[in-house]
Amino acid sequence: MLNVIEKKCTGCAVCIDKCPFDALEMKNNIAVVDYNSCTMCGLCVKSCEYDALELNEESSQSKKDNSNYSGVCVIAEQRDNVLMDVSLELVSEGRKLADQLDVKLSAVVLGSDIKDTANELIAHGANQVYLVEDEKLKNYRTGPYTSIITNIINKFKPEIVLLGATHNGRDLGPRISARINTGLTADCTELAIEEKRGILLQTRPAFGGNLMATIVCPDHRPQMSTVRPGVMEKSEPDYSRTGGIKECKFDLDSDEIDSEIVKKSKIINLAPDSSELDLYTEIKEIVKQANKSVNLEKADIIVSGGRGVGKPDGFSTIKELASALNGEVGASRAVVDEGWIEKGHQVGQTGKTVKPKVYIACGISGAIQHRAGMENSDIIIAINTDSEAPIFEVCDYGIVGDLHQIVPLLSEAFQATV
Amino acid sequence: MKIVVCVKQVPDTNEVKIDEKKGTLIREGVPSIINPEDKIAIEEAVRLKEEFGGEVTVISMGPPQAKDALVEAYAMGADKAILLSDKAFAGSDTWATAYTLSQAIKETGQFDLIFCGRQAIDGDTAQVGPQVAENLSIPQITYVKGVDIEDDEIIAKRQLEDGYSVIKTKLPALLTVIDGLNEPRYPSIKRIIDAYNKEDTIQTWTVEDFEVDKDKLGLDASPTQVYDTFVPTRDHEPEILEGDVEEKVEKLIKKLKEEKVV
C-alpha cells in the first residue's frame, strides 16, 4: 500500500506528474492516493524529494485484491520481425484459456517493423494486440523489454501472462516477475483452468523429467508462465477474425522516458523509470550458425540416434533414413555429450521438445530425460538390441534388433515407396 | 575484482529412480552434487580471479548438508563460502530464493560480477539468476558461453537457439553460464582438508545474520505453490514386432502405411 506521510508532504506536486496511472491528486496541498488506480510501481516514491511517500509492501502482499486483474496476455516474440512459432502456439492456447474464463486475449509485440504480426496474432485468436515499435527494440534486450512490458502489464492488468520458453523468454520472464513481485512457472507443457477458483494450473516437468509438477500462483497477479516451444497446438489461422491494434510509443532516447499509445483517441502515458531501462547494454553482433537447418520442432518425421549407433560414423545410417523419409536427424544427450553430433540435434529435457508425426528412436535406451522431449510424438518407433530398454515402454511399435541391420533395410524400402 | 557465485546442491537426477507402484521418486541413496552448471560458474570465477586478482565468494541457500557443496567450491579455489540455512527459508520458490540470495549478496558488500549456473538440474527453471539481477538492479547476460573483461565492461557470448549473440555491458553485472564455457577443475585435496580443519571457512548464516524482511521468506512468501505432482505415463500398449529382420521391417512398413504416415 502506498502511504502519504502528511507531515512531510510540501505540496510540490512532483509526484502527480510522475505517476503514470493518474493515481495521485492534490487535495488541500497534500498528495492523496486513489487506491483503485495505484499499481504500487513506486515511481512517485523515487520522485519525492521529501520522503513523504512510502510503499508498505507487507500489507500489499496479504491484502492484494486480484479482482481488477482480467484477461490473458501473450508476450509474443519476434526475430527479424517475424513471429516465432511458439508465439502463435501460445495465442492458440491462450484463446482456449480466455474462452474458459470468459475474458479477452491480448498479445504484446516489441520490435522495429512489426505491424504485420498483429494480423497474424488476431487470426490465431487475439482480441487486442499492443505493438511497440522502435529501431532500438529490433533485437531482444533485457532492460528495455522488461521495462516496457512491465508497464504494459501494470497498465492493463492481465490475470495471466504467457511467454515462450525460448532463450529470450527465459531471460525476460523472471526479470518481469521479480519486478512486479509475482510468481512465474518455467517451461510449462500443459495449462488448464481450475474451475473452483478460476486459477491457472501450470504443469511442467521436474527432476530432469522424472516427475511432473502442477504449479499454481493463487494470490499474486498476474499468474505468469513460460511454455516450451513445440508443445501447444497451433490453431488454423482465421483471417476473418477482427481485433483491436494499439501502437504504444516509448521514447527511448530522452532521459525522461515518455511514452504513449498513439493512433487512439486516448493517449495513455506509460513511463518507465529511465534508470531501469538499462540502455547501456548493447548487442554487438548476432551470429547465426550454419546448423540452423536442423529444424526439429517443425519436422514431421524425426530419426534419432543414441549410443547404439556405436561410433560417430554410425550416424550416416541414421542420416540416410532421415533423408529417405524427408525428415530430420535427432540425437540423445549421451551422443551429443560424446561429440558424435552437434547439440542442435539433441532431443530431451535439456534439448528440444518435439512432437513429430513419426519419431524413430534408433539405439536410444529411452532415459527419462530423453523421453521428456519426445513422448508426445504421434507415433513412436523404437529400435534397440536390449528388449528391456525403457524406450519400449513408450513406443507404439518396437523392434528388438540391431539398428545397423534394420535401419538400412528401412531406408531402402522407403526410398522405393516415396 | 570481487566475484560472487550462487550455487545449489542438487540430487543427481540421472540417478533418480521411480517407485512405479506409488508413483513417486526414490530419493534414497541418490548422491547430492553441486549443480553441474554452477560448477562451471565457480570455475569461471576462479579463473577470472587468477587473471585479474580479487576474491571469490560462493553463496548457497539450503539445508545444513548443503555445506558439502560449499566445501567442494572452496576446494576449487573460492576464498569464502556462505551457507544460508534456516528453517525460515524452507519451501522457497524462485522468487523467495532470489530475494534471500540478493539480501545476502548485499550483506557481503561491493561486488563486480555475479556468476550463476543457467539452471539447476532438479528444477530446470533458470529463474533465480535473472531474479537476483533484478533485485540488485544490475544488468544480466544469460546462457553465457564466452567471457571477456575489458576495464569495467564485460563482453559475453550468449547462446541462442540458432547461433549466438555478443553482448556488452557495464560491471557490476550478473551472468548465467552454460555447459561448454570451461572445464571445471578437480577440487584440491589440501583445500578440502583445510575446509574441515579451519573453523569459519564455511560460514552459516541464519535470518539473524543478515538483513531480511521475514515476511518475504520461505513457503509463506512464495507466490507459487505446488498443487500436484505425478509421474508421467503413456496411456497405451506398445506393440513389439516379431519375426526375422526382414519380417520385422516389413511389418513396420505395413503398420506405417496403415497409419497413413508414409
Side-chain angles (χ1 to χ4, degrees):
Chain A
M1 192 137 107
L2 178 66
N3 293 319
V4 179
I5 304 159
E6 299 194 359
K7 272 188 215 160
K8 290 185 179 172
C9 181
T10 63
C12 71
V14 166
C15 57
I16 312 285
D17 294 334
K18 195 75 196 176
C19 178
F21 305 109
D22 280 337
L24 285 162
E25 58 173 312
M26 298 303 289
K27 276 186 187 160
N28 301 325
N29 263 342
I30 284 185
V32 177
V33 187
D34 172 4
Y35 289 106
N36 288 327
S37 305
C38 177
T39 65
M40 290 187 298
C41 66
L43 287 179
C44 57
V45 177
K46 284 183 199 159
S47 76
C48 181
E49 288 176 34
Y50 307 99
D51 295 326
L53 291 158
E54 62 173 14
L55 270 183
N56 185 348
E57 303 214 353
E58 198 180 274
S59 61
S60 75
Q61 289 232 340
S62 52
K63 287 178 191 162
K64 228 175 198 174
D65 174 18
N66 291 328
S67 60
N68 52 344
Y69 283 83
S70 172
V72 178
C73 178
V74 171
I75 310 300
E77 181 179 351
Q78 52 79 24
R79 295 205 189 159
D80 299 323
N81 290 322
V82 176
L83 284 176
M84 296 193 74
D85 269 346
V86 65
S87 301
L88 296 175
E89 291 162 16
L90 285 182
V91 171
S92 309
E93 180 69 15
R95 182 70 262 158
K96 292 184 210 161
L97 299 172
D99 286 343
Q100 228 175 317
L101 289 163
D102 197 18
V103 295
K104 291 220 154 68
L105 173 68
S106 60
V108 177
V109 198
L110 276 60
S112 60
D113 182 12
I114 47 172
K115 291 201 175 62
D116 293 345
T117 64
N119 295 329
E120 203 63 24
L121 292 164
I122 289 166
H124 283 87
N127 301 106
Q128 178 74 55
V129 178
Y130 300 105
L131 299 177
V132 188
E133 275 187 307
D134 191 300
E135 194 47 40
K136 290 199 176 73
L137 300 175
K138 184 173 190 290
N139 296 310
Y140 169 73
R141 293 158 79 193
T142 311
Y145 271 59
T146 304
S147 288
I148 290 168
I149 293 169
T150 301
N151 271 269
I152 290 172
I153 290 172
N154 282 338
K155 177 68 205 172
F156 300 107
K157 293 191 170 58
E159 63 201 281
I160 292 171
V161 172
L162 307 177
L163 300 96
T166 59
H167 289 201
N168 292 345
R170 298 174 98 228
D171 184 278
L172 174 65
R175 194 89 198 193
I176 295 172
S177 79
R179 189 165 299 177
I180 57 184
N181 291 314
T182 190
L184 170 65
T185 305
D187 291 6
C188 296
T189 54
E190 199 185 323
L191 298 172
I193 302 291
E194 187 212 62
E195 283 192 16
K196 201 172 95 199
R197 290 180 285 180
I199 58 172
L200 185 64
L201 301 176
Q202 308 160 84
T203 300
R204 68 182 302 271
F207 288 101
N210 287 286
L211 193 69
M212 300 299 287
T214 303
I215 308 291
V216 291
C217 177
D219 302 320
H220 295 69
R221 292 294 178 274
Q223 306 160 82
M224 290 181 65
S225 323
T226 64
V227 177
R228 286 202 86 152
V231 174
M232 301 299 175
E233 201 84 36
K234 188 163 76 174
S235 61
E236 283 301 314
D238 173 358
Y239 293 96
S240 67
R241 278 181 197 266
T242 54
I245 301 172
K246 281 187 178 159
E247 291 179 41
C248 311
K249 281 268 179 272
F250 287 78
D251 184 346
L252 295 167
D253 285 318
S254 70
D255 286 344
E256 280 298 304
I257 303 286
D258 274 327
S259 49
E260 60 190 37
I261 288 182
V262 295
K263 267 202 172 173
K264 286 279 150 185
S265 53
K266 195 180 169 201
I267 291 175
I268 304 161
N269 283 307
L270 302 167
D273 184 332
S274 58
S275 65
E276 287 172 355
L277 272 167
D278 177 31
L279 288 165
Y280 185 81
T281 303
E282 58 172 287
I283 299 164
K284 292 175 71 76
E285 58 176 326
I286 294 180
V287 180
K288 298 240 165 118
Q289 281 168 323
N291 246 316
K292 67 180 176 184
S293 61
V294 190
N295 205 338
L296 291 175
E297 288 98 331
K298 281 189 183 165
D300 280 340
I301 295 176
I302 295 174
V303 186
S304 274
R307 263 192 206 288
V309 302
K311 53 185 193 294
D313 303 349
F315 263 97
S316 57
T317 323
I318 306 291
K319 284 174 185 164
E320 267 168 39
L321 178 55
S323 92
L325 288 165
N326 215 357
E328 292 279 358
V329 175
S332 69
R333 185 172 76 181
V335 293
V336 171
D337 286 352
E338 289 286 344
W340 295 359
I341 193 164
E342 296 84 11
K343 173 92 180 163
H345 292 276
Q346 188 183 324
V347 172
Q349 171 72 2
T350 51
K352 288 175 178 157
T353 305
V354 298
K355 47 166 193 196
K357 291 189 181 128
V358 184
Y359 188 90
I360 307 179
C362 309
I364 292 178
S365 65
I368 191 85
Q369 106 88 34
H370 186 76
R371 273 146 55 190
M374 47 64 82
E375 63 192 355
N376 287 327
S377 307
D378 291 349
I379 294 174
I380 296 171
I381 296 159
I383 302 168
N384 204 303
T385 47
D386 176 9
S387 62
E388 298 292 310
I391 193 74
F392 288 120
E393 290 162 26
V394 298
C395 74
D396 297 87
Y397 303 110
I399 295 180
V400 179
D402 183 359
L403 72 94
H404 297 287
Q405 294 179 349
I406 294 157
V407 173
L409 287 175
L410 284 172
S411 302
E412 222 174 278
F414 287 126
Q415 232 135 25
T417 52
V418 174
Chain B
M1 175 164 294
K2 278 203 65 179
I3 306 173
V4 174
V5 186
C6 299
V7 305
K8 184 180 186 185
Q9 189 186 49
V10 294
D12 188 344
T13 53
N14 291 325
E15 304 286 325
V16 171
K17 302 266 181 319
I18 297 168
D19 184 327
E20 300 272 357
K21 281 184 195 135
K22 290 187 201 152
T24 53
L25 292 183
I26 305 168
R27 294 279 299 263
E28 255 173 55
V30 175
S32 289
I33 54 172
I34 297 183
N35 179 53
E37 286 179 334
D38 298 357
K39 260 178 120 160
I40 290 169
I42 297 168
E43 175 64 31
E44 199 61 21
V46 173
R47 283 187 194 189
L48 289 178
K49 179 188 78 169
E50 287 165 352
E51 190 179 344
F52 297 101
E55 188 181 81
V56 174
T57 304
V58 177
I59 299 184
S60 185
M61 185 177 106
Q65 60 267 31
K67 195 175 170 182
D68 296 344
L70 290 178
V71 169
E72 192 179 340
Y74 177 81
M76 285 175 69
D79 301 281
K80 282 187 194 163
I82 303 165
L83 174 63
L84 312 176
S85 195
D86 196 302
K87 281 196 178 114
F89 305 148
S92 292
D93 71 354
T94 64
W95 185 91
T97 303
Y99 170 75
T100 311
L101 286 171
S102 307
Q103 292 302 108
I105 292 168
K106 284 181 194 165
E107 188 77 26
T108 63
Q110 290 285 316
F111 57 86
D112 301 294
L113 254 179
I114 300 175
F115 279 109
C116 301
R118 171 197 44 167
Q119 64 190 29
I121 55 172
D122 57 346
D124 288 320
T125 73
Q127 286 174 190
V128 170
Q131 288 175 329
V132 167
E134 171 63 24
N135 291 344
L136 298 171
S137 299
I138 57 171
Q140 75 195 33
I141 307 175
T142 54
Y143 290 87
V144 169
K145 62 166 191 172
V147 178
D148 244 332
I149 297 200
E150 285 171 18
D151 302 322
D152 65 338
E153 286 181 348
I154 185 150
I155 297 162
K157 257 191 189 177
R158 176 171 186 257
Q159 183 75 50
L160 291 170
E161 287 86 345
D162 58 353
Y164 64 90
S165 58
V166 179
I167 295 181
K168 182 174 86 170
T169 194
K170 248 184 194 156
L171 299 178
L174 181 145
L175 271 57
T176 77
V177 300
I178 59 172
D179 194 18
L181 173 64
N182 59 41
E183 192 63 45
R185 70 193 67 192
Y186 288 102
S188 130
I189 304 290
K190 184 182 169 299
R191 285 182 72 90
I192 293 180
I193 296 165
D194 276 1
Y196 282 111
N197 286 344
K198 288 186 206 154
E199 263 180 52
D200 254 17
T201 312
I202 317 288
Q203 298 176 33
T204 300
W205 290 5
T206 69
V207 284
E208 307 303 329
D209 296 303
F210 61 117
E211 203 185 311
V212 281
D213 179 343
K214 289 183 184 167
D215 292 328
K216 294 185 177 176
L217 302 175
L219 184 64
D220 286 348
S222 294
T224 60
Q225 298 168 5
V226 178
Y227 179 87
D228 191 18
T229 62
F230 56 96
V231 172
T233 50
R234 201 173 158 89
D235 51 4
H236 69 93
E237 280 299 307
E239 190 178 335
I240 306 295
L241 307 173
E242 307 288 350
D244 64 29
V245 174
E246 280 77 16
E247 281 168 7
K248 285 174 181 171
V249 169
E250 226 166 85
K251 281 182 186 171
L252 178 60
I253 290 168
K254 193 164 160 250
K255 290 287 178 193
L256 292 179
K257 281 181 179 161
E258 279 169 21
E259 304 259 13
K260 293 195 170 62
V261 288
V262 289

